[in-house]
Amino acid sequence: VTVTATPDESSAVVRVGGAEFVTDRAAGCSAGARAVLAVRPHALRLTSSRDGPDVLPARVTGAQWRGPATRVTIAVDALPDLLVEIDQPGETRHQVGDRVGMHIPPRSGSLLPSDPEPDTPSDTGARASAPFAAAPPGSAP
């Protein structure tokens, strides 16, 4: 992600895809800097709206009922190399192929300084965004 502004000592505004998010600021993450945005999976929510503040458009790629929750897997449009798993309470109304939004609540993420150079020339930023992902399938939350 790219830090677009630092309104005060403790917060930063970052751009992911076409959306901007307010998050906690780390030392060394000034305006214009590249950074990693780490978000705890339990903070993420699915919405029927695909635009608006703090929302990234996505497509449902899987849903698995797990008793008190359903694990929904989504492909976020702005992060094509990344699948995100979100546990939704109860049974989900989302089906494979549905268009949804991934909501990242303000200040639910933390910034970490990023490497100054991408790993490869084809780096699309998904490496920096990987902390969006929940634990790998089959692992404990």
Side-chain angles (χ1 to χ4, degrees):
V1 299
T2 300
V3 179
T4 59
T6 52
D8 57 47
E9 292 294 319
S10 66
S11 65
V13 177
V14 298
R15 179 171 293 280
V16 178
E20 288 190 333
F21 300 90
V22 175
T23 187
D24 291 334
R25 180 176 160 193
C29 291
S30 57
R34 297 274 305 150
V36 174
L37 176 60
V39 179
R40 291 188 160 284
H42 66 269
L44 302 174
R45 296 286 177 255
L46 293 180
T47 68
S48 56
S49 173
R50 295 183 304 272
D51 59 5
D54 310 314
V55 174
L56 290 170
R59 179 180 46 83
V60 175
T61 62
Q64 182 181 32
W65 180 70
R66 295 181 164 222
T70 300
R71 178 159 293 166
V72 180
T73 304
I74 60 172
V76 179
D77 295 357
L79 307 168
D81 298 333
L82 180 69
L83 292 177
V84 178
E85 294 178 333
I86 300 175
D87 288 337
Q88 293 286 108
E91 291 188 52
T92 184
R93 65 183 186 282
H94 303 294
Q95 302 296 317
V96 172
D98 284 355
R99 300 291 300 162
V100 295
M102 180 178 73
H103 179 250
I104 303 172
R107 299 190 76 108
S108 63
S110 295
L111 281 182
L112 306 168
S114 179
D115 295 334
E117 295 295 321
D119 288 340
T120 65
S122 64
D123 187 355
T124 62
R127 176 185 51 79
S129 302
F132 278 134
S139 67

